[in-house]
Amino acid sequence: MKKRIGSYPRVRVEGGGQAVVSQAGAVLLVETVRKVGLDRAISTVLTPWRRPRAVHDPGKILLDVALAVALGGDCLADVGMLRAERAVFGPVASDPTVSRLIDTLATAGPKALHAIRAARAEARERVWNMAKNAAPDVAGQVIVDLDGVLVLAHSEKQDATATWKKTFGHHPLMAFVDHGSGGSGEPVAGLLRPGNAGSNTAADHISTAQLSLAQMPKKYRRGRQTLIRTDSAGGTHEFVAWLSKRGRWLSYSVGMTITDAIHQAVLKVPPASWTVAVEPDGEIRGGAWVAELAGDVLQGWPEGMRLIVRKERPHPGAQLRFTDADGLRLTAFATNTTGIPIAALELRHRQRARAEDRIRNARATGLRNLPLHDTAQNQIWLEIVQIALDLLAWMPMLALTGKTRRWEPRRLRLRLFSAAAQIITTSRRQHLRFARHWPWTDVITNALARLEALPNPG
């Protein structure tokens, strides 16, 4: 009898295996693309950039790159892992063909970007209609979070400059639709900016908000049912005036910088005017209180704006700022929402922190770095990243339930997309047979069944 050395069994390794598909779980994303009609929509809008007698469709090429990014790729060449699995992903263009398409779209500039965004908006409206109770607008309101993200550059790419954090790279401004506590979120805008772009630039916030509204179904492009939520970078006179402009009537909840005037107004608030803050489950948030300010601090701001401030005991080890009072940290935000208790409004604004989760997922899905040199090329890459994030949000919305709907991209890749399967051909049709012992095979097959039950695009 031979003794086994080490903790793991030793297996022989041989090449030349057939009828096995790696990354077979990615069929969930492929089926999502088909059901929401994203492949047809992108192919249609990119028709002007298809060369005569071209073998590969530009829309299919762009989607292939987005699928590779959704599966964890971070450069154009990673589309090669799709090329190796023709049975699942179909014919995939060569690396030179992919690069030529990106160059062509980058040269086209805003015209190509508008076409890609129009296809995404068309598919988004169909997804929300099919998702029903899982859609982000099920409560009758859509919440859009705007936030900046620093993307480091390790070479001198176009518009890569020193950032406010003393790093080197770019400073895109992103926008995400919040899916609430039961889901994740989906990107609706990505504005590529130089690394030295200011955090509170009103023009950039307005441009990003316009791109976000263009991605919405038409009924959400104006009116109180759409809430724009930002941190203090959005608390500028120009941006708040744009949001509340007559005829636009958007709801907003924007962070505000604690100025000396606000600080002095907080000191004059009587103790009886402070209300305890609350948690999402309705419980009292210990050591936190909120109050509404009025008077001179609202002068010069749009009519109907409300200024709400929170004071809270800082976390152990946190350093207080000059604007904090009585050992309590102060934060403030402005909103035009009425008829809701200020504690609930403060909780709604505090939940803007979910945008940090969206940014973390974006970094794990192609936004860790911008792989190309020119700004126009990297703007196309940013659109590809958004398509990948769209698919990673739409698939759980349509096909997953319970806790699995909240799985982030890394967990989806580890548990679902990385699953291998055997491909079998019967009656001239190909079938994927997932391993019975894989812990999440039931999740994959049940999700595929839900996707197959959805109506095909007209």
Side-chain angles (χ1 to χ4, degrees), residues 38-216:
L38 186 59
D39 51 348
R40 296 185 181 183
I42 289 187
S43 293
T44 300
V45 297
L46 294 186
T47 298
W49 291 277
R50 181 166 187 170
R51 295 182 178 181
R53 293 178 290 181
V55 175
H56 296 281
D57 177 69
K60 173 68 163 53
I61 297 174
L62 202 71
L63 276 177
D64 284 342
V65 179
L67 285 171
V69 172
L71 294 175
D74 60 4
C75 65
L76 297 179
D78 285 334
V79 77
M81 65 179 175
L82 274 64
R83 194 181 301 117
E85 303 296 353
R86 187 185 180 97
V88 175
F89 302 104
V92 176
S94 64
D95 290 347
T97 301
V98 173
S99 297
R100 282 195 298 269
L101 175 65
I102 300 302
D103 289 340
T104 300
L105 296 178
T107 303
K111 187 176 181 180
L113 293 175
H114 178 76
I116 296 170
R117 291 163 181 166
R120 291 176 56 216
E122 178 184 338
R124 192 180 318 281
E125 184 169 10
R126 178 173 173 82
V127 171
W128 288 13
N129 290 333
M130 291 193 298
K132 298 180 180 178
N133 292 336
D137 63 339
V138 65
Q141 186 180 51
V142 176
I143 300 178
V144 181
D145 291 316
L146 274 61
D147 207 350
V149 53
L150 293 179
V151 180
L152 301 184
H154 300 286
S155 61
E156 293 187 1
K157 298 174 182 177
Q158 187 178 9
D159 286 340
T161 61
T163 70
W164 61 276
K165 277 196 174 182
K166 302 183 189 291
T167 56
F168 184 81
H170 299 82
H171 189 191
L173 188 59
M174 305 291 294
F176 299 89
V177 169
D178 185 23
H179 286 188
S181 59
S184 57
E186 54 189 292
V188 285
L191 184 66
L192 186 58
R193 306 185 299 171
N196 58 3
S199 296
N200 57 348
T201 305
D204 292 344
H205 279 76
I206 291 173
S207 298
T208 305
Q210 289 174 327
L211 293 175
S212 303
L213 295 174
Q215 283 292 306
M216 304 288 182

Side-chain angles (χ1 to χ4, degrees), residues 340-389:
I340 299 178
I342 59 173
L345 293 176
E346 191 276 331
L347 172 63
R348 183 185 70 177
H349 184 75
R350 197 185 334 136
Q351 289 173 335
R352 195 204 67 82
R354 285 197 282 252
E356 300 297 332
D357 299 332
R358 308 291 86 81
I359 288 176
R360 182 179 66 251
N361 294 338
R363 289 184 186 277
T365 312
L367 203 57
R368 184 180 60 84
N369 71 306
L370 298 174
L372 307 172
H373 180 271
D374 295 346
T375 297
Q377 295 172 327
N378 282 323
Q379 182 63 68
I380 298 295
W381 176 262
L382 190 55
E383 294 298 320
I384 291 171
V385 168
Q386 291 178 78
I387 294 173
L389 290 170

Side-chain angles (χ1 to χ4, degrees), residues 28 434 440-450:
L28 288 166
F434 288 90
W440 301 282
T441 290
D442 289 344
V443 177
I444 297 172
T445 54
N446 291 336
L448 285 171
R450 294 188 190 96

Side-chain angles (χ1 to χ4, degrees), residues 241-256:
W242 183 87
L243 291 170
S244 57
K245 184 178 179 180
R246 186 179 184 87
R248 193 170 288 120
W249 303 120
L250 296 171
S251 297
Y252 60 83
S253 181
V254 299
M256 299 290 288

